[in-house]
């Protein structure tokens, strides 16, 4: 299932000035890195795509990479699957080497769990699906100027880990929406990478999810994407630049 274009053995590029690749951890056979991948490639970074769920190994070091991103998925960090534990434990590589690490949704929950935080279901079956309001808390780091309207697709949230800084919150069932830890680790509960095609696919393939409390109707999600997504993508472009600059 591995579809990366490079391997650990050829991670070093002959051009010492070329941007290093970024590890991209995905959880479905046909998942993509969305706008995160597009913007990283626009900066010259190769996407080193790994799917540990389907047998791909994760690198022992990020010395040959600019950073790593763990994306979301339908599974829970509370599941007992081996790959969930492998990915959660692997977060320690980025933290120890002070390499830029970004966890999105499930990836943020893995970062929180690795740091000792609890990951929990929303009360009374409440979920967040579609565009929802969050409250940016101000930051001079990579999470500066987070948009206040973002795309969500989750039924679990996480406690803020000890030693982490909360960068965006919410008055709803999931109060922790974005946090930073250490020099270069970031977790976001929302999906800044989301594309219009992904909104269409996720909502079309999960009609039952859209009947749960906290889900925005499908037509509203698709309509609002045209106005809210460009704002998030503009922020994401600046975020990725600041985030990559945090690495050693």
């Amino acid at each position: 299932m591995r579809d990366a274009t490079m391997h650990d053995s050829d991670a070093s590029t002959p051009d010492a000035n070329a941007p290093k690749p970024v590890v991209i951890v995905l959880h479905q056979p046909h998942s993509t890195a969305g706008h995160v991948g597009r913007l990283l490639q626009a900066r010259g970074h190769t996407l080193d795509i790994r799917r540990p769920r389907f047998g791909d190994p994760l690198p022992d070091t990020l010395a040959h990479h600019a950073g790593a991103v763990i994306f979301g998925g339908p599974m829970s960090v509370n599941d007992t699957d081996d790959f969930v534990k492998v990915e959660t434990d692997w977060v320690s590589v980025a933290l120890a080497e002070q390499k830029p690490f970004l966890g999105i949704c499930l990836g943020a929950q893995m970062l929180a769990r690795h740091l000792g935080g609890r990951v929990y279901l929303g009360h009374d079956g409440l979920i967040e699906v579609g565009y929802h309001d969050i409250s940016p808390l101000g930051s001079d780091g990579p999470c500066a100027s987070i948009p206040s309207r973002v795309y969500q697709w989750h039924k679990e949230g996480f406690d803020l880990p000890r030693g982490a800084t909360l960068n965006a919150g919410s008055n709803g069932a999931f109060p922790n929406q974005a946090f930073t830890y250490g020099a270069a680790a970031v977790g976001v509960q929302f999906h800044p990478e989301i594309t219009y095609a992904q909104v269409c696919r996720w909502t079309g393939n999960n009609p039952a999810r859209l009947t749960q409390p906290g889900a925005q109707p499908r037509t509203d999600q698709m309509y609002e994407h045209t106005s809210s997504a460009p704002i998030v993508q503009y922020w994401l472009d600046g975020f990725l630049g600041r985030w990559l600059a945090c690495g050693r």
Side-chain angles (χ1 to χ4, degrees):
M1 193 62 66
R2 176 79 178 275
D3 63 354
T5 58
M6 49 79 68
H7 299 268
D8 292 341
S9 60
D10 59 18
S12 296
T13 171
D15 182 357
N17 295 318
K20 293 180 179 180
V22 176
V23 175
I24 301 291
V25 180
L26 301 173
H27 299 100
Q28 297 280 67
H30 303 295
S31 294
T32 74
H35 289 299
V36 167
R38 176 181 65 82
L39 292 169
L40 287 172
Q41 289 178 312
R43 283 180 160 80
H45 297 277
T46 301
L47 305 184
D48 183 6
I49 297 176
R50 313 280 182 130
R51 290 181 170 88
R53 181 185 181 190
F54 301 105
D56 289 346
L58 291 168
D60 294 330
T61 177
L62 290 174
H64 301 298
H65 293 84
V69 186
I70 297 183
F71 286 79
M75 60 290 300
S76 167
V77 74
N78 294 315
D79 292 345
T80 58
D81 301 80
D82 289 343
F83 78 91
V84 172
K85 184 178 187 304
V86 166
E87 291 184 27
T88 304
D89 290 346
W90 182 74
V91 172
S92 65
V93 174
L95 296 181
E97 297 179 1
Q98 297 185 40
K99 284 285 189 173
F101 173 86
L102 172 60
I104 296 175
C105 198
L106 175 65
Q109 294 167 5
M110 287 180 171
L111 175 60
R113 168 60 65 83
H114 181 80
L115 295 171
R118 177 180 62 112
V119 176
Y120 58 89
L121 288 167
H123 60 78
D124 299 324
L126 191 64
I127 66 174
E128 284 185 330
V129 163
Y131 279 93
H132 287 257
D133 291 327
I134 63 172
S135 300
L137 299 177
S139 169
D140 294 328
C143 288
S145 304
I146 291 177
S148 59
R149 187 80 172 166
V150 293
Y151 194 80
Q152 307 271 17
W153 192 280
H154 66 99
K155 63 180 180 180
E156 292 183 308
F158 53 81
D159 288 337
L160 185 68
R162 179 176 298 179
T165 299
L166 188 65
N167 300 118
S170 169
N171 293 326
F174 306 99
N176 300 317
Q177 292 287 335
F179 70 95
T180 52
Y181 181 84
V186 178
V188 296
Q189 182 61 80
F190 52 92
H191 287 275
E193 85 284 8
I194 196 75
T195 66
Y196 184 77
Q198 287 173 318
V199 173
C200 293
R201 186 168 64 250
W202 294 7
T203 56
N205 292 343
N206 298 277
R209 180 65 62 88
L210 303 183
T211 66
Q212 295 179 254
Q216 186 182 40
R218 184 174 194 243
T219 53
D220 292 354
Q221 293 185 41
M222 297 173 70
Y223 176 78
E224 185 172 352
H225 187 77
T226 62
S227 58
S228 295
I231 297 171
V232 176
Q233 290 166 31
Y234 178 81
W235 169 80
L236 178 62
D237 191 19
F239 164 82
L240 289 173
R242 296 188 296 272
W243 173 70
L244 289 165
C246 292
R248 294 183 58 181

